[in-house]
mmCIF file of all heavy atoms in Angstrom:
data_model
loop_
_atom_site.group_PDB
_atom_site.id
_atom_site.type_symbol
_atom_site.label_atom_id
_atom_site.label_comp_id
_atom_site.label_asym_id
_atom_site.label_seq_id
_atom_site.Cartn_x
_atom_site.Cartn_y
_atom_site.Cartn_z
ATOM 1 N N PRO A 730 -4.165 -11.783 15.531
ATOM 2 C CA PRO A 730 -4.927 -13.004 15.570
ATOM 3 C C PRO A 730 -4.001 -14.182 15.314
ATOM 4 O O PRO A 730 -2.979 -14.051 14.666
ATOM 5 C CB PRO A 730 -5.915 -12.856 14.419
ATOM 6 C CG PRO A 730 -5.305 -11.817 13.526
ATOM 7 C CD PRO A 730 -4.480 -10.944 14.383
ATOM 8 N N ARG A 735 2.371 -18.275 13.418
ATOM 9 C CA ARG A 735 2.497 -17.889 14.819
ATOM 10 C C ARG A 735 2.502 -19.138 15.707
ATOM 11 O O ARG A 735 3.283 -19.222 16.686
ATOM 12 C CB ARG A 735 1.322 -16.987 15.196
ATOM 13 C CG ARG A 735 1.325 -16.423 16.585
ATOM 14 C CD ARG A 735 0.254 -15.353 16.654
ATOM 15 N NE ARG A 735 0.056 -14.870 18.012
ATOM 16 C CZ ARG A 735 -0.851 -15.367 18.841
ATOM 17 N NH1 ARG A 735 -1.606 -16.380 18.492
ATOM 18 N NH2 ARG A 735 -0.967 -14.849 20.051
ATOM 19 N N CYS A 771 3.872 -6.717 8.593
ATOM 20 C CA CYS A 771 3.091 -6.887 9.830
ATOM 21 C C CYS A 771 3.359 -8.283 10.426
ATOM 22 O O CYS A 771 3.480 -8.429 11.645
ATOM 23 C CB CYS A 771 1.600 -6.686 9.591
ATOM 24 S SG CYS A 771 1.156 -4.976 9.266
ATOM 25 N N ALA A 822 21.952 -7.894 1.363
ATOM 26 C CA ALA A 822 22.544 -9.132 0.824
ATOM 27 C C ALA A 822 23.939 -8.798 0.261
ATOM 28 O O ALA A 822 24.844 -9.621 0.319
ATOM 29 C CB ALA A 822 21.649 -9.740 -0.245
ATOM 30 N N TYR A 830 30.491 -15.635 -2.206
ATOM 31 C CA TYR A 830 31.465 -16.056 -3.231
ATOM 32 C C TYR A 830 32.314 -17.219 -2.700
ATOM 33 O O TYR A 830 32.522 -18.222 -3.401
ATOM 34 C CB TYR A 830 32.347 -14.883 -3.650
ATOM 35 C CG TYR A 830 33.396 -15.297 -4.636
ATOM 36 C CD1 TYR A 830 33.114 -15.335 -6.017
ATOM 37 C CD2 TYR A 830 34.675 -15.679 -4.226
ATOM 38 C CE1 TYR A 830 34.073 -15.772 -6.929
ATOM 39 C CE2 TYR A 830 35.619 -16.099 -5.128
ATOM 40 C CZ TYR A 830 35.322 -16.153 -6.479
ATOM 41 O OH TYR A 830 36.272 -16.574 -7.375
ATOM 42 N N ASP A 845 28.992 -23.249 -16.531
ATOM 43 C CA ASP A 845 28.352 -23.711 -17.773
ATOM 44 C C ASP A 845 28.477 -22.636 -18.854
ATOM 45 O O ASP A 845 28.428 -21.438 -18.566
ATOM 46 C CB ASP A 845 26.876 -24.020 -17.498
ATOM 47 C CG ASP A 845 26.299 -24.977 -18.539
ATOM 48 O OD1 ASP A 845 27.009 -25.250 -19.537
ATOM 49 O OD2 ASP A 845 25.153 -25.430 -18.338
ATOM 50 N N ASP A 846 28.608 -23.107 -20.094
ATOM 51 C CA ASP A 846 28.702 -22.181 -21.224
ATOM 52 C C ASP A 846 27.389 -22.085 -22.002
ATOM 53 O O ASP A 846 27.315 -21.334 -22.969
ATOM 54 C CB ASP A 846 29.778 -22.645 -22.240
ATOM 55 C CG ASP A 846 31.126 -22.817 -21.610
ATOM 56 O OD1 ASP A 846 31.275 -22.450 -20.404
ATOM 57 O OD2 ASP A 846 32.046 -23.313 -22.278
ATOM 58 N N SER A 866 24.029 -30.810 -19.114
ATOM 59 C CA SER A 866 24.813 -29.924 -19.953
ATOM 60 C C SER A 866 26.112 -30.618 -20.339
ATOM 61 O O SER A 866 26.681 -31.375 -19.527
ATOM 62 C CB SER A 866 25.154 -28.648 -19.198
ATOM 63 O OG SER A 866 26.200 -27.962 -19.832
ATOM 64 N N ASP A 926 31.597 -0.884 -8.743
ATOM 65 C CA ASP A 926 32.125 -1.758 -9.804
ATOM 66 C C ASP A 926 32.896 -2.957 -9.244
ATOM 67 O O ASP A 926 33.601 -3.634 -9.978
ATOM 68 C CB ASP A 926 33.070 -0.947 -10.717
ATOM 69 C CG ASP A 926 32.296 0.131 -11.474
ATOM 70 O OD1 ASP A 926 31.140 -0.133 -11.830
ATOM 71 O OD2 ASP A 926 32.852 1.241 -11.644
ATOM 72 N N ALA A 957 7.516 -21.903 -2.194
ATOM 73 C CA ALA A 957 7.420 -23.259 -1.601
ATOM 74 C C ALA A 957 8.250 -24.258 -2.428
ATOM 75 O O ALA A 957 8.972 -25.082 -1.852
ATOM 76 C CB ALA A 957 5.953 -23.695 -1.527
ATOM 77 N N LEU A 999 2.959 1.336 -14.536
ATOM 78 C CA LEU A 999 1.971 2.429 -14.357
ATOM 79 C C LEU A 999 2.698 3.753 -14.225
ATOM 80 O O LEU A 999 2.257 4.790 -14.761
ATOM 81 C CB LEU A 999 1.139 2.199 -13.083
ATOM 82 C CG LEU A 999 0.087 1.099 -13.140
ATOM 83 C CD1 LEU A 999 -0.542 0.882 -11.767
ATOM 84 C CD2 LEU A 999 -0.988 1.455 -14.165
ATOM 85 N N LEU A 1157 -30.260 31.153 -3.704
ATOM 86 C CA LEU A 1157 -31.510 31.013 -2.939
ATOM 87 C C LEU A 1157 -31.617 32.181 -1.979
ATOM 88 O O LEU A 1157 -30.641 32.666 -1.459
ATOM 89 C CB LEU A 1157 -31.514 29.704 -2.122
ATOM 90 C CG LEU A 1157 -31.328 28.406 -2.882
ATOM 91 C CD1 LEU A 1157 -31.344 27.236 -1.905
ATOM 92 C CD2 LEU A 1157 -32.404 28.247 -3.950
ATOM 93 N N ALA A 1188 -15.250 31.352 3.996
ATOM 94 C CA ALA A 1188 -14.813 30.040 3.496
ATOM 95 C C ALA A 1188 -13.507 30.141 2.732
ATOM 96 O O ALA A 1188 -13.199 31.190 2.163
ATOM 97 C CB ALA A 1188 -15.900 29.465 2.593
ATOM 98 N N SER A 1210 -1.898 -4.563 -22.651
ATOM 99 C CA SER A 1210 -1.887 -3.128 -22.460
ATOM 100 C C SER A 1210 -2.566 -2.766 -21.150
ATOM 101 O O SER A 1210 -3.732 -3.086 -20.910
ATOM 102 C CB SER A 1210 -2.620 -2.482 -23.633
ATOM 103 O OG SER A 1210 -3.116 -1.233 -23.245
ATOM 104 N N LEU A 1223 -12.610 18.299 -8.405
ATOM 105 C CA LEU A 1223 -13.605 19.341 -8.184
ATOM 106 C C LEU A 1223 -12.859 20.614 -7.802
ATOM 107 O O LEU A 1223 -12.013 20.590 -6.929
ATOM 108 C CB LEU A 1223 -14.545 18.941 -7.054
ATOM 109 C CG LEU A 1223 -15.284 17.619 -7.151
ATOM 110 C CD1 LEU A 1223 -16.111 17.363 -5.905
ATOM 111 C CD2 LEU A 1223 -16.176 17.610 -8.384
ATOM 112 N N GLN A 1242 -13.210 14.430 8.767
ATOM 113 C CA GLN A 1242 -14.463 14.095 8.106
ATOM 114 C C GLN A 1242 -15.147 15.365 7.650
ATOM 115 O O GLN A 1242 -15.327 16.279 8.463
ATOM 116 C CB GLN A 1242 -15.405 13.346 9.064
ATOM 117 C CG GLN A 1242 -16.673 12.876 8.361
ATOM 118 C CD GLN A 1242 -17.754 12.432 9.305
ATOM 119 O OE1 GLN A 1242 -18.644 13.217 9.663
ATOM 120 N NE2 GLN A 1242 -17.701 11.173 9.713
ATOM 121 N N ILE A 1275 -21.556 -0.296 -6.904
ATOM 122 C CA ILE A 1275 -20.741 -0.551 -8.086
ATOM 123 C C ILE A 1275 -21.037 -1.946 -8.626
ATOM 124 O O ILE A 1275 -21.212 -2.156 -9.797
ATOM 125 C CB ILE A 1275 -19.242 -0.418 -7.765
ATOM 126 C CG1 ILE A 1275 -18.920 1.050 -7.469
ATOM 127 C CG2 ILE A 1275 -18.377 -0.948 -8.894
ATOM 128 C CD1 ILE A 1275 -17.498 1.297 -7.013
#
Side-chain angles (χ1 to χ4, degrees):
R735 183 169 173 267
C771 289
Y830 177 85
D845 202 351
D846 303 354
S866 163
D926 295 324
L999 287 174
L1157 302 179
S1210 155
L1223 305 177
Q1242 185 193 94
I1275 291 175

